[in-house]
Amino acid sequence: MQTNTIKRIVTCVSLFLIGCSRLPNGGSLLPASLSDTQTQEATAIPLARGTQVITTTVSANNTTVSNNTGAATATNTAAPATATPSPTPAKPTDTPTPMPTPTRVAPTPQPTPNTIITVNTFEPEVFPFKKNGNCSLGEAIWAAQTQLPQDGCKAGGDGGTTIILNSGIYTFAQADTKSTIVLPDINLPQPASALAALPVIGGQIAIIGNNSTLMRIGTQAFRFFDVYPSGSLTLNDLTLMGGDPGKLDGGAIQNFGQTNLISVTLRNNNAYNGGAIANLNETQIVSSLFISNGARHYGGALYGEGGLFAMRDSQLISNTATEVGGAVYGVRSKFEFEHSVFDSNTSVLGGAIYNEDSNLILNDASVVSNNRATQDMGKAAFAYGGGGIVSFGTESVVAIEDSKLIGNRANKSSGGALTNWSGSVAITRTIISGNVATVAGAVLDGYFGGVMTIADGCVLNNESLRETAQVVAYTKIPLDSSNNWWGSENGPPLPRTPTPTITPTPSNTPTPRPTRTPTATPKTPTTPAATATDVMTPTPTRTPSPSVITSPYLSEAPDICR
């Protein structure tokens, strides 16, 4: 057997390539183990802050695989991780019906080596595939999941399949609507919400893009990938451009299973919700870029419902939503953003993020900057706004640590950096600076209740266009923003409380009773008594009194403010 080696560059979140442990709730992405039978040379290469790439050389005597040219290549013998189907969360009526979870026969628990299939054509073939001796991307996914050869593609393996693309542009003009969800032990029709250029992902698939691009062309509506509840899709070094499924969610990817993105760019994708991705289970993102995606409803880049988004070392730039969440919208979900950037995103409410009854974590030098909420509050006393972030719902929990909220704008609304309407918000060691709003240039808290703290940070140079303070709170529990640097050794500027608008209440004037005329002729005429009229005193419209604790404050700038 000819000894041949391959070098595979994979980030360790690609679970079944090198036996990495999955990120549980934002946990470690470091490899769990490598097979004892492997010959390996692992070199850590810095990709981005907090990210590693592992270069592994594997001896070809582990497993030989055809790559369509007759040459022998090698595969990894690390034990694959098994994706467990997750229950599909309920979706509202205006979103796609979740894919059904199949009843599968448990496979024999004997892990087999991961298989590698190399795509050798740029042709966008869809089912039924034509026989031409080539191996297209669609055929490679089909062969991987059926574990049977398909035209020029070899059969996939039990332990998952890695598909290698040649660098270039792969164009797609139509959706694959005729294929079924095919796994070795089950065959199901596509669910109604599936509308992708490629076969539905129901098994373990990794695609190494080698800086290639998948691009939608023409007028037909479709996305690129649908991930079934039993499916696990890992994309590495790839661009997804121009996806649009029309009235459905997820411009590039709709995920009901497990999706991992490493060094992936999602550009100019559009959808009803989630311009780039609609997630209903678990999505992990590392060192990726979301730019110029759009939603006709919620979540310009990301839409989450009942699942987990974990993102690290990534950027969301210039995404838009027609209604809420310029970059991100989540309901009953969990979002974890570490060392990531939200810049120049736009929507009516929540220029960057709209968090509804969800858990939101931003930490490790994440930046929310230059985002814009376009809501016009007119002459109202308050509005949702949120140039950077809106948190809404009594179940919402927001934790922001060691980050920056800078330069966000809600020029015609409230809360330049953040608006919290009723949940819990804790902001720690964070710079809140240069934000602008009509009311509360920095933060507006709790018109409908909630608890907020802002501690050990910097709150300065935020502008309120009306006569109000940088931080305004309407909660029964005072907002505690003590122990911060306010840009002066004298503490925060004196709050400027607006004069409440007096709205006269109509007088409650009863109809006068007729005066009784005496029948007898009195010696002295009697003057009838005056009729009493009940008139209510006009009262002002109820305006909650801002309640903010700002003392003690820092008399000099801490290191994070310098």
Side-chain angles (χ1 to χ4, degrees):
M1 181 184 303
Q2 178 184 2
T3 301
N4 190 12
T5 62
I6 63 170
K7 285 205 170 186
R8 295 179 291 106
I9 300 178
V10 293
T11 303
C12 60
V13 74
S14 183
L15 308 178
F16 48 86
L17 291 183
I18 55 176
C20 293
S21 59
R22 198 159 63 100
L23 250 178
N25 297 327
S28 173
L29 278 172
L30 296 178
S33 62
L34 292 173
S35 171
D36 294 336
T37 62
Q38 286 179 299
T39 302
Q40 52 198 332
E41 299 172 2
T43 305
I45 303 175
L47 174 66
R49 188 178 183 278
T51 306
Q52 286 187 329
V53 173
I54 305 298
T55 302
T56 306
T57 302
V58 185
S59 174
N61 58 15
N62 289 323
T63 306
T64 58
V65 178
S66 170
N67 63 356
N68 304 312
T69 61
T73 59
T75 63
N76 196 328
T77 60
T82 302
T84 303
S86 302
T88 304
K91 285 185 61 76
T93 56
D94 61 347
T95 53
T97 302
M99 301 182 185
T101 302
T103 301
R104 301 188 59 200
V105 178
T108 303
Q110 295 293 331
T112 57
N114 176 255
T115 302
I116 294 177
I117 300 176
T118 300
V119 172
N120 61 9
T121 179
F122 292 100
E123 288 297 316
E125 299 182 13
V126 296
F127 186 88
F129 303 109
K130 57 186 178 182
K131 299 291 184 180
N132 55 17
N134 292 329
C135 180
S136 67
L137 178 54
E139 290 172 322
I141 294 174
W142 186 271
Q145 299 191 133
T146 60
Q147 299 177 23
L148 296 171
Q150 176 64 46
D151 199 9
C153 302
K154 72 176 300 296
D158 258 352
T161 300
T162 299
I163 298 172
I164 308 295
L165 302 182
N166 291 310
S167 180
I169 298 176
Y170 296 75
T171 57
F172 299 87
Q174 66 182 97
D176 179 355
T177 58
K178 296 182 179 180
S179 67
T180 55
I181 302 172
V182 177
L183 302 172
D185 51 359
I186 196 166
N187 188 326
L188 291 175
Q190 290 193 17
S193 64
L195 187 66
L198 297 160
V200 173
I201 305 298
Q204 290 183 311
I205 303 290
I207 300 176
I208 309 299
N210 290 311
N211 197 32
S212 59
T213 296
L214 308 188
M215 180 187 296
R216 170 183 160 273
I217 60 175
T219 59
Q220 189 176 126
F222 57 86
R223 61 178 75 87
F224 298 104
F225 295 101
D226 281 300
V227 183
Y228 198 64
S230 62
S232 175
L233 174 66
T234 297
L235 303 179
N236 194 329
D237 193 19
L238 186 66
T239 294
L240 305 180
M241 177 182 285
D244 189 337
K247 296 180 180 180
L248 301 178
D249 296 347
I253 301 171
Q254 180 180 232
N255 176 53
F256 288 87
Q258 169 81 36
T259 294
N260 305 307
L261 306 183
I262 309 104
S263 299
V264 173
T265 296
L266 295 101
R267 181 190 300 270
N268 295 333
N269 301 285
N270 292 275
Y272 185 72
N273 292 313
I277 299 176
N279 177 63
L280 288 96
N281 198 339
E282 185 170 341
T283 297
Q284 313 263 357
I285 301 167
V286 179
S287 302
S288 295
L289 171 66
F290 295 76
I291 184 167
S292 300
N293 302 287
R296 291 177 278 274
H297 196 48
Y298 296 168
L302 307 177
Y303 172 87
E305 184 176 338
L308 166 69
F309 265 115
M311 177 180 289
R312 191 180 72 216
D313 301 313
S314 297
Q315 300 178 72
L316 298 98
I317 298 174
S318 299
N319 303 286
T320 60
T322 302
E323 296 191 30
V324 302
V328 175
Y329 171 84
V331 57
R332 299 182 301 278
S333 299
K334 185 173 184 179
F335 292 89
E336 300 175 358
F337 299 104
E338 179 181 345
H339 194 240
S340 294
V341 174
F342 298 77
D343 189 84
S344 301
N345 303 287
T346 304
S347 71
V348 176
L349 305 175
I353 301 171
Y354 192 97
N355 183 67
E356 182 175 348
D357 285 322
S358 299
N359 285 13
L360 170 65
I361 299 173
L362 283 86
N363 60 23
D364 193 17
S366 290
V367 178
V368 179
S369 59
N370 304 313
N371 303 286
R372 187 164 62 99
T374 62
Q375 182 189 39
D376 189 346
M377 64 188 290
K379 297 181 179 180
F382 64 92
Y384 288 90
I389 301 170
V390 166
S391 184
F392 179 82
T394 56
E395 300 300 317
S396 290
V397 178
V398 177
I400 303 173
E401 297 181 352
D402 304 303
S403 296
K404 296 179 180 179
L405 308 177
I406 54 177
N408 303 287
R409 305 180 70 88
N411 286 32
K412 298 182 179 181
S413 190
S414 307
L418 183 147
T419 294
N420 174 47
W421 282 104
S422 51
S424 171
V425 177
I427 304 174
T428 309
R429 297 182 302 277
T430 292
I431 297 174
I432 306 174
S433 177
N435 303 285
V436 179
T438 298
V439 174
V443 173
L444 179 70
D445 177 46
Y447 194 87
F448 298 113
V451 178
M452 178 183 284
T453 59
I454 305 172
D456 304 318
C458 316
V459 184
L460 66 163
N461 301 326
N462 300 287
E463 182 181 358
S464 300
L465 302 180
R466 286 189 187 172
E467 293 294 315
T468 56
Q470 296 184 71
V471 177
V472 176
Y474 294 105
T475 54
K476 294 180 180 179
I477 301 174
L479 185 158
D480 187 352
S481 61
S482 60
N483 205 35
N484 292 290
W485 168 249
W486 297 85
S488 168
E489 63 180 10
N490 298 318
L494 293 175
R496 297 167 296 173
T497 305
T499 303
T501 302
I502 305 298
T503 304
T505 303
S507 299
N508 182 12
T509 306
T511 303
R513 289 186 281 248
T515 304
R516 192 172 62 175
T517 304
T519 55
T521 303
K523 296 180 180 179
T524 304
T526 303
T527 304
T531 303
T533 302
D534 297 327
V535 179
M536 297 179 63
T537 304
T539 56
T541 301
R542 177 185 176 275
T543 301
S545 300
S547 178
V548 180
I549 300 172
T550 58
S551 294
Y553 52 81
L554 301 181
S555 59
E556 61 180 272
D559 290 341
I560 65 168
C561 302
R562 295 184 175 130

